[in-house]
Amino acid sequence: MDRTAQLSTRPFPYEIAYDSPTAPPSPHVRAARVLAANWTGASTVPSRKLYPHQWSWDSAFIAIGLRHVSPARAQTELETLLAAQWADGRVPHIVFNPSVPLDAYFPSPDFWRSSTAGRAAGAPRTVQTSGIVQPPVHALAAWLVHRADPALSRSRGFLARVYPKLAAWHRYLLHRRDLGGAGLVSVVHPWEQGMDNSPCWDAPLARVTPAPARSFRRADLDHGAAEDRPTDLDYGRYVRLATDYRDGEYADGGGEFAVEDPAFNALLIASEHALARIAEELGATGAARRERAERLTAALVERLWEPAAGMFLCRDLRGGGLRPERSVSGLIPLLLPGLPRALATALVDTLRGPHFSLGGRTRLVPSYDLLGESFDPHRYWRGPAWFNTNWLLERGLRAHGETASADALRTAFLHLADATDYAEYVDPYTGEPCGATGFGWTAALALDLCHREPASQERQRPDKSPSRHVSAPGTGTFDRSDQGGDRG
């Protein structure tokens, strides 16, 4: 067996590498054990019981954390996902594990019928997937994974193999999903944006006739409290949208739901910056991608910025105009390096203000407006705090010089992640865990923050020398190592 194969197949030796027989395991070790428990051999499930397959943006976040314990497995995580890419470039939001029973999760493979209904769009025949997508964090993840062990990455040809797939993924979004004609990407289902049950979707969904309750069975209620999950009415509308998209052979542009979302587009812009880095690593120029990222940033500001709200809002293309709901999605563009300074300042003010209360009444930033009529501290994406969005906001705060707030958010994140056994999400006021525990991206992003010292500790290091994981040169748009160094 050659060295690359050994690195790719070796098990996680956590007790040997990170623990001693007598000491209690550290948070770092406990987080790593979650990823080990959720590893299937080729990818990592978000949750063994509630989400037993591979999810698209989950795997991107998981790879970002997994790179700290096994760069080889982090590469495999992304490669497994991209192996299920459709010929039209889309990366499906679920890659199904054929060994999992059909009734373990709904919608299951027999609902999506990807190999038949998706044939015209080039769905793979050897693996079953869903037909919708999720936010494009993947190029950013690939770049950060490469930087964790550049020698291993180069020896395996990792970037050379994933770059064409990532470029095709972005082409699909930019060409097939520009449904508003102004350059931004639209989502055609709430599940695509990732914040499934956000109040931002209430008005667009109200136009959708729900599927009959008897036509599906909700497997999520077998593992989660009904009061924490979407209502049956909302779920019926999700099913109707997915059914219509499937029956239309996954062609884009004709559905009842089309929304330009700030977080989805901000993550595409972030990944365009990462693709520029990858192109340069491979000996090409990244100039065109940086220019595209700048154009997309300008379109984001033009289309979705609302000065009166002090944040970005969703645009409903079928109902007309910006939606007034304040969601954490509208704060995520803070992570963009090219965001105008005045807008970044306004976003920080909104984060600290009464609607989100960063550094005030909340333990972590909530997913929805604390003052909104639809706020619920426990119900899925209608108020609870999620660890992936807080990780993105921590990076955004740090990118724009708000180091004290970033350090405080990092500390709260790490404490709550470990104290809740790496919960899926938490009550933003009390930190009470909700949803699944042992959740993949919570553990992975906690691992990532464990490897990033707060700015105060960095300043106290006598030699000021960079640590291996904090500031290796060129670690990407949102690594602290080059904050301000990737401004297009």
Side-chain angles (χ1 to χ4, degrees):
M1 180 183 292
D2 64 21
R3 176 63 175 156
T4 299
Q6 289 174 342
L7 287 168
S8 301
T9 59
R10 66 185 181 189
F12 287 137
Y14 295 134
E15 287 74 18
I16 296 172
Y18 299 109
D19 207 1
S20 73
T22 57
S26 67
H28 180 283
V29 173
R30 288 192 289 271
R33 284 175 173 169
V34 169
L35 296 184
N38 291 1
W39 176 254
T40 67
S43 63
T44 309
V45 299
S47 163
R48 280 288 181 180
K49 292 182 179 179
L50 189 54
Y51 306 107
H53 302 285
Q54 183 179 26
W55 261 258
S56 173
W57 76 325
D58 290 75
S59 277
F61 287 124
I62 286 167
I64 288 170
L66 191 57
R67 67 191 171 121
H68 297 295
V69 292
S70 175
R73 292 213 176 185
Q75 292 175 29
T76 299
E77 184 79 37
L78 295 173
E79 290 166 343
T80 300
L81 177 69
L82 292 173
Q85 185 174 29
W86 292 26
D88 67 0
R90 81 181 75 194
V91 175
H93 99 294
I94 302 174
V95 180
F96 290 105
N97 183 341
S99 67
V100 173
L102 286 178
D103 63 357
Y105 182 81
F106 178 86
S108 50
D110 57 341
F111 172 88
W112 294 103
R113 306 173 198 164
S114 60
S115 60
T116 54
R119 185 177 297 131
R125 297 189 178 187
T126 57
V127 62
Q128 293 295 311
T129 76
S130 65
I132 60 175
V133 302
Q134 275 189 325
V137 198
H138 311 91
L140 172 61
W143 176 246
L144 295 179
V145 167
H146 164 77
R147 290 303 310 159
D149 191 337
L152 174 65
S153 174
R154 290 166 185 146
S155 72
R156 296 186 70 242
F158 171 64
L159 291 182
R161 285 183 287 107
V162 300
Y163 179 79
K165 293 178 177 290
L166 294 169
W169 168 218
H170 286 206
R171 278 197 303 274
Y172 166 78
L173 292 173
L174 292 166
H175 295 168
R176 303 289 184 91
R177 290 298 191 89
D178 181 10
L179 304 183
L184 294 185
V185 173
S186 295
V187 295
V188 300
H189 195 292
W191 289 338
E192 291 198 314
Q193 195 269 352
M195 304 176 193
D196 311 0
N197 197 37
S198 170
C200 296
W201 317 135
D202 288 355
L205 280 175
R207 297 189 297 268
V208 178
T209 302
R214 65 182 180 278
S215 67
F216 60 91
R217 188 189 76 82
R218 293 183 59 178
D220 63 318
L221 297 182
D222 295 340
H223 306 288
E227 60 269 22
D228 291 351
R229 305 292 297 175
T231 65
D232 287 342
L233 178 60
D234 284 335
Y235 215 91
R237 288 169 169 150
Y238 302 154
V239 172
R240 171 67 69 187
L241 283 173
T243 300
D244 291 349
Y245 194 41
R246 177 200 67 198
D247 292 348
E249 297 184 326
Y250 298 111
D252 294 310
E256 295 180 82
F257 186 98
V259 176
E260 293 174 349
D261 173 75
F264 194 103
N265 281 279
L267 291 170
L268 176 62
I269 295 166
S271 280
E272 275 292 310
H273 281 293
L275 274 184
R277 292 289 183 88
I278 294 172
E280 290 165 350
E281 166 68 21
L282 296 174
T285 177
R289 295 206 173 274
R290 287 197 171 86
E291 291 170 3
R292 182 178 295 118
E294 291 174 357
R295 291 196 302 272
L296 288 169
T297 301
L300 183 72
V301 172
E302 174 67 25
R303 296 279 289 175
L304 304 186
W305 177 252
E306 176 48 66
M311 62 186 298
F312 293 88
L313 302 176
C314 294
R315 181 177 292 276
D316 179 5
L317 296 182
R318 299 293 184 249
L322 295 176
R323 295 300 315 157
E325 294 84 8
R326 291 176 169 92
S327 161
V328 70
S329 172
L331 303 172
I332 299 302
L334 184 64
L335 57 81
L336 296 178
L339 195 67
R341 187 176 187 83
L343 271 63
T345 299
L347 285 174
V348 173
D349 290 343
T350 300
L351 258 173
R352 291 174 176 155
H355 296 285
F356 295 93
S357 194
L358 174 69
R361 294 174 294 151
T362 57
R363 307 284 297 277
L364 291 177
V365 179
S367 54
Y368 183 65
D369 182 2
L370 296 169
L371 305 181
E373 291 184 6
S374 299
F375 174 80
D376 184 327
H378 285 188
R379 196 178 288 278
Y380 216 62
W381 290 108
R382 300 180 83 84
W386 289 73
F387 289 92
N388 66 327
T389 55
N390 277 267
W391 181 87
L392 291 167
L393 290 173
E394 192 268 355
R395 290 301 182 268
L397 288 164
R398 206 171 294 284
H400 291 281
E402 298 288 341
T403 55
S405 292
D407 287 350
L409 186 54
R410 173 189 180 275
T411 298
F413 182 117
L414 289 173
H415 171 74
L416 279 177
D418 188 58
T420 61
D421 192 20
Y422 303 95
E424 186 177 357
Y425 52 102
V426 298
D427 182 313
Y429 288 121
T430 68
E432 177 187 349
C434 303
T437 54
F439 200 72
W441 74 28
T442 304
L445 297 176
L447 269 174
D448 189 60
L449 290 182
C450 280
H451 282 269
R452 294 170 174 275
E453 295 178 3
S456 58
Q457 290 183 20
E458 276 199 321
R459 288 192 295 269
Q460 291 169 9
R461 283 207 303 268
D463 62 357
K464 307 289 186 183
S465 61
S467 68
R468 186 173 78 87
H469 291 286
V470 172
S471 48
T475 48
T477 306
F478 312 114
D479 259 357
R480 290 222 311 278
S481 58
D482 62 354
Q483 294 282 319
D486 187 18
R487 303 271 169 181

